Amino acid sequence: MPADSLETIANLSKRRGFVFPASEIYGGLRSSWDYGPLGAELLRNIRDAWWTTMVRDRDDVVGLDSSIIQSRQVWVASGHEESFTDPLVECTNCNVRSRLDKLEDPEECPSCGKRGTFTEVRDFNLLLKTFLGPVEDDAALTYLRPETAQGIFINFENVRRSSRLRLPFGIAQIGKSFRNEITPGQFVFRTREFEQMEMEFFCRPDEVEHWYQYWLDARMQWYLDLGMHPDRVRMRAHQPEELAHYAAAASDVEYLFPWGWDELEGVANRTDFDLRAHTESSGEDLRYYDQEADERFFPYVIEPAAGVTRSAFAFLIDAYQEEEVRAETRVVLKLHPKLAPIKVAVLPLSKKDDLIEVTQRVAKQLRSHWAIEVDVTQSIGRRYRRQDEIGTPYCVTIDFDTLEDQAVTVRERDTMEQDRLPIQGLVSYLIDKFGDRL
Ligand code: GAP
């Protein structure tokens, strides 16, 4: 069983240092969260796993790191200033605002339960405004980016030319995005500041169907390869009325969250909408020149767009398990080793100097290979419990016999099986155990 409630994950996250409420000492900010020591590692591991699959392992995708703040014209041309809206209603009884498209019952206020109290629906723009320079007037207005994608489109020609790329090819980017969400919530699922992993894959217009299907399959496989349970992840095609203003077709990778199926990642056919719009708006010709055919055209784009923070949440829920062990409940995060914040914990049985000396020697050996943690506090049972709860795949225990036989005990997280082996062979034993899962 994965975690069946959002509170279970929120509590564990706070207790163990994955996620803290932002601005907590000032009462918190509903839409923001801070990532603690383990959360920072988890996010980093998700980014690395994505970057390796989407960029490093391929010869047709390159990376980019563009600015969060761009010219306002980018957001005018992309259609965001005009059309990046959610339908908003306000309850005249309790004044709480809701997204009409997310209401279970379009007549009933989810906050006070009154019916028929909503105002007329109005389109609420999600762009987060900011002003550049000292004067807060219209000329200084721009927005924090609501998606990383536009940074890719406006750099299309820079990247193509400098990297000497030919179609089909992709440009990938990971970074923060911002949206003034009407109803942030469900822990880190929907926040006003979040992190995205997006790739724009440019291809010939007549190949767009092939690449759409290719990326649907590839993106689903990425979650499965990272251990997500096949019964809790699915692909769902959008209905025409759901499509974003730039998309001809789109599907969502959905995860079975505690409140039901919801979006994890979107894969969209953005056609030539963005390159065409920026060409028209900027006057720079962003068409692709095909030398062999001596023709210029706008490539079509398939875009897999995932969330770093949202997938971290889904991976935590999916990995969470409660098991009965010797009449006690063991909480264990069965995270894929690639995602686990700590790969190996080193636990000396006592704080005595000679054990600490061996512990440090072992830790030094392991640290050059993996993220490790040395824990010397509390009973060994409690320390195992903590490592299970944070998803550490292996614990290495150093006991008094170690001083005699130079051997340690390795405990595996999922099976709890233990092996005794010489310190000398520890690194190669663990390399073997991790196999190609790292
Ligand atoms: N460039 C296309 C685009 O941005 P999207 O479906 O709006 O598409 C892509 O966003 C992904 O970004 C989502 O599937 C989700 O994982 C993440 N995301 C979007 N809005 C979010 C929010 N408010 N909080 C957390 N993650 C969000």
Side-chain angles (χ1 to χ4, degrees):
M1 276 296 288
D4 57 3
S5 90
L6 197 142
E7 287 72 30
T8 308
I9 291 298
N11 291 341
L12 183 142
S13 293
K14 174 142 196 236
R15 189 170 69 250
R16 295 303 190 193
F18 282 95
V19 185
F20 306 128
S23 306
E24 193 180 13
I25 62 168
Y26 292 102
L29 190 63
R30 189 165 67 104
S31 64
S32 295
W33 298 88
D34 296 337
Y35 289 79
L38 298 180
E41 292 287 344
L42 175 61
L43 295 181
R44 188 173 282 266
N45 293 341
I46 290 172
R47 283 185 214 113
D48 285 350
W50 189 88
W51 196 262
T52 302
T53 304
M54 301 295 277
V55 183
R56 293 258 167 89
D57 282 355
R58 305 184 62 97
D59 53 19
D60 56 357
V61 180
V62 295
L64 180 76
D65 199 336
S66 69
S67 276
I68 286 172
I69 299 171
Q70 301 278 358
S71 160
R72 178 178 174 187
Q73 282 313 307
V74 172
W75 310 110
V76 174
S78 68
H80 284 82
E81 194 175 271
E82 175 76 26
S83 312
F84 194 53
T85 56
D86 278 340
L88 173 133
V89 286
E90 187 169 334
C91 172
T92 50
N93 182 52
C94 68
N95 297 329
V96 167
R97 293 169 168 194
S98 303
R99 256 178 81 171
L100 185 64
D101 58 329
K102 294 283 173 193
L103 290 176
E104 267 173 35
D105 177 345
E107 288 300 313
E108 185 180 306
C109 173
S111 178
C112 68
K114 282 254 158 82
R115 296 182 64 78
T117 53
F118 285 136
T119 56
E120 285 285 294
V121 56
R122 86 179 157 91
D123 285 334
F124 176 77
N125 193 291
L126 302 179
L127 291 173
L128 216 74
K129 288 183 180 144
T130 191
F131 297 93
L132 301 181
V135 185
E136 292 194 4
D137 64 6
D138 211 45
L141 172 69
T142 189
Y143 308 101
L144 302 186
R145 68 179 177 203
E147 60 170 13
T148 65
Q150 294 305 322
I152 296 175
F153 294 124
I154 60 177
N155 279 292
F156 173 74
E157 192 51 18
N158 282 335
V159 175
R160 188 202 63 75
R161 200 178 311 122
S162 58
S163 304
R164 292 168 292 134
L165 291 162
R166 293 186 156 203
L167 289 183
F169 67 86
I171 306 176
Q173 160 149 246
I174 298 178
K176 292 244 174 160
S177 293
F178 302 81
R179 296 180 190 177
N180 200 5
E181 298 282 1
I182 298 168
T183 49
Q186 285 149 321
F187 195 38
V188 299
F189 179 81
R190 184 175 292 107
T191 48
R192 296 200 171 109
E193 172 182 343
F194 55 96
E195 201 174 341
Q196 292 185 304
M197 310 181 278
E198 300 196 290
M199 197 270 287
E200 309 303 317
F201 196 79
F202 301 93
C203 65
R204 293 175 177 282
D206 60 358
E207 292 179 351
V208 77
E209 290 306 324
H210 162 77
W211 287 111
Y212 182 53
Q213 191 55 49
Y214 173 92
W215 284 111
L216 291 182
D217 297 343
R219 291 309 304 149
M220 177 62 108
Q221 196 57 45
W222 186 78
Y223 293 99
L224 298 175
D225 288 347
L226 286 172
M228 209 167 254
H229 198 284
D231 290 346
R232 297 194 284 266
V233 59
R234 72 176 188 190
M235 192 64 82
R236 186 185 67 81
H238 278 205
Q239 298 300 313
E241 64 277 12
E242 287 180 86
L243 292 174
H245 64 272
Y246 49 71
S251 297
D252 285 345
V253 180
E254 293 191 330
Y255 183 73
L256 189 53
F257 286 96
W259 58 90
W261 290 100
D262 217 331
E263 178 183 343
L264 197 51
E265 165 164 355
V267 181
N269 170 0
R270 290 182 82 127
T271 69
D272 57 1
F273 178 91
D274 303 271
L275 290 181
R276 195 179 275 280
H278 287 301
T279 296
E280 281 163 15
S281 174
S282 69
E284 291 288 324
D285 188 356
L286 298 180
R287 284 177 304 170
Y288 176 83
Y289 177 59
D290 181 340
Q291 270 178 335
E292 276 156 36
D294 189 26
E295 60 169 358
R296 276 184 200 281
F297 60 93
F298 286 110
Y300 267 40
V301 174
I302 300 300
E303 174 197 68
V308 182
T309 38
R310 191 175 289 183
S311 49
F313 184 27
F315 280 122
L316 284 175
I317 295 171
D318 205 61
Y320 183 94
Q321 306 233 340
E322 290 179 14
E323 296 174 351
E324 287 305 309
V325 179
R326 289 186 289 278
E328 276 193 29
T329 304
R330 169 175 99 119
V331 171
V332 53
L333 279 189
K334 294 196 170 170
L335 284 170
H336 190 286
K338 246 187 208 148
L339 301 182
I342 305 292
K343 312 297 186 215
V344 188
V346 188
L347 315 173
L349 220 49
S350 114
K351 286 186 200 161
K352 291 229 162 68
D353 284 352
D354 37 6
L355 281 198
I356 294 295
E357 190 267 312
V358 184
T359 300
Q360 279 165 354
R361 188 152 46 84
V362 170
K364 190 167 175 224
Q365 269 183 26
L366 300 179
R367 197 169 266 131
S368 59
H369 296 269
W370 304 288
I372 70 149
E373 187 173 277
V374 175
D375 189 358
V376 298
T377 58
Q378 302 183 315
S379 73
I380 191 72
R382 289 181 85 140
R383 281 184 275 165
Y384 279 150
R385 229 168 301 149
R386 172 186 148 78
Q387 295 301 332
D388 286 345
E389 262 201 324
I390 67 174
T392 305
Y394 295 99
C395 289
V396 174
T397 308
I398 289 154
D399 55 32
F400 290 101
D401 289 341
T402 306
L403 300 174
E404 306 302 320
D405 62 4
Q406 295 296 306
V408 290
T409 304
V410 180
R411 173 185 179 270
E412 205 268 336
R413 177 193 69 197
D414 297 348
T415 59
M416 291 184 289
E417 275 170 13
Q418 306 200 354
D419 271 346
R420 183 110 186 140
L421 59 134
I423 294 175
Q424 230 184 10
L426 180 59
V427 167
S428 55
Y429 170 92
L430 287 170
I431 288 175
D432 210 44
K433 282 282 181 189
F434 281 125
D436 56 8
R437 291 178 304 150
L438 277 188

Short mmCIF file of all heavy atoms in Angstrom, two decimals, residues 365-393:
data_model
loop_
_atom_site.label_atom_id
_atom_site.label_comp_id
_atom_site.label_asym_id
_atom_site.label_seq_id
_atom_site.Cartn_x
_atom_site.Cartn_y
_atom_site.Cartn_z
N GLN A 365 35.64 5.57 2.80
CA GLN A 365 35.64 4.70 1.61
C GLN A 365 34.34 4.85 0.82
O GLN A 365 34.34 4.95 -0.39
CB GLN A 365 35.71 3.24 2.06
CG GLN A 365 37.08 2.67 2.19
CD GLN A 365 36.99 1.18 2.57
OE1 GLN A 365 36.00 0.50 2.27
NE2 GLN A 365 38.00 0.70 3.25
N LEU A 366 33.21 4.83 1.56
CA LEU A 366 31.91 4.83 0.89
C LEU A 366 31.57 6.18 0.29
O LEU A 366 30.94 6.28 -0.76
CB LEU A 366 30.81 4.44 1.89
CG LEU A 366 30.94 3.05 2.53
CD1 LEU A 366 29.80 2.82 3.52
CD2 LEU A 366 30.92 1.95 1.47
N ARG A 367 32.02 7.23 0.98
CA ARG A 367 31.66 8.60 0.58
C ARG A 367 32.16 8.95 -0.81
O ARG A 367 31.56 9.77 -1.50
CB ARG A 367 32.22 9.58 1.62
CG ARG A 367 31.58 10.92 1.56
CD ARG A 367 31.95 11.77 2.75
NE ARG A 367 30.97 11.69 3.81
CZ ARG A 367 31.26 11.47 5.09
NH1 ARG A 367 32.51 11.30 5.47
NH2 ARG A 367 30.31 11.42 5.99
N SER A 368 33.24 8.31 -1.23
CA SER A 368 33.73 8.65 -2.57
C SER A 368 32.87 8.00 -3.66
O SER A 368 33.07 8.26 -4.84
CB SER A 368 35.20 8.27 -2.72
OG SER A 368 35.34 6.89 -2.49
N HIS A 369 31.91 7.17 -3.25
CA HIS A 369 31.03 6.54 -4.24
C HIS A 369 29.59 7.04 -4.15
O HIS A 369 28.93 7.18 -5.17
CB HIS A 369 31.02 5.02 -4.05
CG HIS A 369 32.34 4.38 -4.30
ND1 HIS A 369 32.71 3.90 -5.54
CD2 HIS A 369 33.39 4.16 -3.48
CE1 HIS A 369 33.93 3.40 -5.47
NE2 HIS A 369 34.36 3.54 -4.23
N TRP A 370 29.11 7.24 -2.94
CA TRP A 370 27.68 7.49 -2.75
C TRP A 370 27.41 8.56 -1.69
O TRP A 370 28.29 8.87 -0.88
CB TRP A 370 26.98 6.19 -2.27
CG TRP A 370 27.19 5.04 -3.19
CD1 TRP A 370 26.64 4.87 -4.43
CD2 TRP A 370 28.01 3.88 -2.96
NE1 TRP A 370 27.06 3.69 -4.98
CE2 TRP A 370 27.90 3.06 -4.11
CE3 TRP A 370 28.81 3.45 -1.92
CZ2 TRP A 370 28.56 1.83 -4.24
CZ3 TRP A 370 29.48 2.23 -2.04
CH2 TRP A 370 29.35 1.44 -3.19
N ALA A 371 26.16 9.06 -1.70
CA ALA A 371 25.71 9.93 -0.60
C ALA A 371 25.50 9.04 0.62
O ALA A 371 24.69 8.11 0.58
CB ALA A 371 24.40 10.61 -0.99
N ILE A 372 26.23 9.31 1.68
CA ILE A 372 26.10 8.45 2.86
C ILE A 372 25.77 9.28 4.09
O ILE A 372 25.89 10.51 4.08
CB ILE A 372 27.39 7.62 3.11
CG1 ILE A 372 28.53 8.54 3.57
CG2 ILE A 372 27.79 6.82 1.91
CD1 ILE A 372 29.46 7.81 4.50
N GLU A 373 25.35 8.59 5.13
CA GLU A 373 25.09 9.26 6.41
C GLU A 373 25.70 8.42 7.52
O GLU A 373 25.57 7.19 7.50
CB GLU A 373 23.57 9.38 6.61
CG GLU A 373 23.18 10.20 7.81
CD GLU A 373 21.67 10.44 7.87
OE1 GLU A 373 21.19 11.36 7.21
OE2 GLU A 373 20.98 9.69 8.60
N VAL A 374 26.36 9.08 8.45
CA VAL A 374 26.86 8.38 9.63
C VAL A 374 25.93 8.76 10.77
O VAL A 374 25.68 9.93 11.01
CB VAL A 374 28.31 8.81 9.96
CG1 VAL A 374 28.78 8.18 11.26
CG2 VAL A 374 29.25 8.44 8.82
N ASP A 375 25.39 7.75 11.46
CA ASP A 375 24.48 8.04 12.58
C ASP A 375 24.98 7.31 13.82
O ASP A 375 25.06 6.08 13.82
CB ASP A 375 23.05 7.59 12.21
CG ASP A 375 22.03 8.07 13.23
OD1 ASP A 375 22.43 8.70 14.24
OD2 ASP A 375 20.83 7.79 13.03
N VAL A 376 25.29 8.09 14.85
CA VAL A 376 25.85 7.46 16.06
C VAL A 376 24.88 7.55 17.25
O VAL A 376 25.19 7.05 18.32
CB VAL A 376 27.20 8.11 16.47
CG1 VAL A 376 28.24 7.91 15.40
CG2 VAL A 376 27.04 9.59 16.78
N THR A 377 23.73 8.20 17.03
CA THR A 377 22.83 8.44 18.17
C THR A 377 21.80 7.32 18.33
O THR A 377 21.51 6.61 17.39
CB THR A 377 22.07 9.77 17.99
OG1 THR A 377 21.36 9.67 16.76
CG2 THR A 377 23.00 10.96 17.95
N GLN A 378 21.25 7.20 19.51
CA GLN A 378 20.13 6.30 19.83
C GLN A 378 20.45 4.82 19.63
O GLN A 378 21.54 4.45 19.20
CB GLN A 378 18.90 6.68 19.01
CG GLN A 378 18.45 8.11 19.25
CD GLN A 378 17.20 8.43 18.48
OE1 GLN A 378 17.08 8.10 17.32
NE2 GLN A 378 16.27 9.07 19.14
N SER A 379 19.45 3.99 19.92
CA SER A 379 19.64 2.53 19.83
C SER A 379 19.71 2.14 18.36
O SER A 379 19.21 2.85 17.49
CB SER A 379 18.46 1.81 20.48
OG SER A 379 17.33 1.93 19.63
N ILE A 380 20.30 0.98 18.10
CA ILE A 380 20.45 0.54 16.71
C ILE A 380 19.08 0.33 16.06
O ILE A 380 18.87 0.64 14.88
CB ILE A 380 21.36 -0.72 16.60
CG1 ILE A 380 21.73 -1.00 15.15
CG2 ILE A 380 20.74 -1.92 17.24
CD1 ILE A 380 22.71 -0.02 14.56
N GLY A 381 18.11 -0.15 16.86
CA GLY A 381 16.76 -0.37 16.35
C GLY A 381 16.15 0.93 15.83
O GLY A 381 15.56 0.98 14.75
N ARG A 382 16.29 1.99 16.62
CA ARG A 382 15.73 3.29 16.22
C ARG A 382 16.44 3.84 15.00
O ARG A 382 15.84 4.50 14.16
CB ARG A 382 15.83 4.29 17.38
CG ARG A 382 14.87 3.93 18.51
CD ARG A 382 14.98 4.93 19.59
NE ARG A 382 14.13 6.08 19.28
CZ ARG A 382 13.41 6.71 20.18
NH1 ARG A 382 13.41 6.30 21.43
NH2 ARG A 382 12.67 7.74 19.85
N ARG A 383 17.73 3.57 14.93
CA ARG A 383 18.48 4.07 13.78
C ARG A 383 18.06 3.34 12.50
O ARG A 383 17.95 3.94 11.44
CB ARG A 383 19.99 3.95 14.03
CG ARG A 383 20.48 5.08 14.93
CD ARG A 383 21.97 5.01 15.10
NE ARG A 383 22.35 4.12 16.18
CZ ARG A 383 23.58 3.65 16.38
NH1 ARG A 383 24.55 3.98 15.53
NH2 ARG A 383 23.85 2.86 17.40
N TYR A 384 17.84 2.00 12.60
CA TYR A 384 17.34 1.27 11.43
C TYR A 384 15.99 1.85 11.01
O TYR A 384 15.71 2.02 9.83
CB TYR A 384 17.16 -0.22 11.75
CG TYR A 384 18.43 -1.05 11.70
CD1 TYR A 384 18.58 -2.16 12.52
CD2 TYR A 384 19.46 -0.74 10.81
CE1 TYR A 384 19.73 -2.94 12.48
CE2 TYR A 384 20.61 -1.51 10.76
CZ TYR A 384 20.75 -2.61 11.59
OH TYR A 384 21.88 -3.37 11.53
N ARG A 385 15.14 2.12 12.00
CA ARG A 385 13.80 2.63 11.71
C ARG A 385 13.88 3.96 10.96
O ARG A 385 13.16 4.21 10.02
CB ARG A 385 13.01 2.80 13.01
CG ARG A 385 11.63 2.16 12.89
CD ARG A 385 10.95 2.05 14.22
NE ARG A 385 11.71 1.24 15.16
CZ ARG A 385 11.71 1.43 16.48
NH1 ARG A 385 10.99 2.41 17.01
NH2 ARG A 385 12.40 0.65 17.28
N ARG A 386 14.80 4.83 11.43
CA ARG A 386 14.95 6.12 10.76
C ARG A 386 15.41 5.92 9.31
O ARG A 386 14.89 6.53 8.38
CB ARG A 386 15.97 6.99 11.52
CG ARG A 386 16.32 8.26 10.78
CD ARG A 386 17.43 9.06 11.46
NE ARG A 386 18.23 9.77 10.47
CZ ARG A 386 17.85 10.88 9.86
NH1 ARG A 386 16.70 11.43 10.17
NH2 ARG A 386 18.61 11.45 8.95
N GLN A 387 16.39 5.02 9.12
CA GLN A 387 16.91 4.81 7.75
C GLN A 387 15.82 4.20 6.86
O GLN A 387 15.73 4.55 5.69
CB GLN A 387 18.17 3.93 7.77
CG GLN A 387 19.36 4.58 8.48
CD GLN A 387 19.79 5.92 7.88
OE1 GLN A 387 19.60 6.18 6.70
NE2 GLN A 387 20.35 6.80 8.70
N ASP A 388 14.99 3.30 7.40
CA ASP A 388 13.88 2.75 6.63
C ASP A 388 12.92 3.87 6.22
O ASP A 388 12.47 3.94 5.08
CB ASP A 388 13.09 1.73 7.47
CG ASP A 388 13.86 0.41 7.63
OD1 ASP A 388 14.82 0.19 6.87
OD2 ASP A 388 13.48 -0.39 8.52
N GLU A 389 12.66 4.75 7.16
CA GLU A 389 11.69 5.83 6.91
C GLU A 389 12.17 6.85 5.89
O GLU A 389 11.39 7.57 5.31
CB GLU A 389 11.37 6.56 8.23
CG GLU A 389 10.10 6.09 8.88
CD GLU A 389 9.55 7.12 9.85
OE1 GLU A 389 10.34 7.80 10.54
OE2 GLU A 389 8.33 7.23 9.93
N ILE A 390 13.48 6.95 5.71
CA ILE A 390 13.98 7.90 4.71
C ILE A 390 14.43 7.19 3.44
O ILE A 390 14.93 7.81 2.51
CB ILE A 390 15.11 8.81 5.27
CG1 ILE A 390 16.38 8.02 5.57
CG2 ILE A 390 14.63 9.56 6.52
CD1 ILE A 390 17.57 8.90 5.97
N GLY A 391 14.24 5.86 3.42
CA GLY A 391 14.45 5.11 2.18
C GLY A 391 15.89 4.72 1.87
O GLY A 391 16.22 4.47 0.72
N THR A 392 16.73 4.64 2.89
CA THR A 392 18.15 4.27 2.65
C THR A 392 18.26 2.79 2.29
O THR A 392 17.88 1.93 3.09
CB THR A 392 18.98 4.55 3.92
OG1 THR A 392 18.77 5.93 4.28
CG2 THR A 392 20.46 4.30 3.68
N PRO A 393 18.77 2.48 1.09
CA PRO A 393 18.77 1.07 0.65
C PRO A 393 19.64 0.14 1.51
O PRO A 393 19.29 -1.01 1.71
CB PRO A 393 19.31 1.13 -0.78
CG PRO A 393 19.11 2.53 -1.23
CD PRO A 393 19.20 3.39 0.00
#
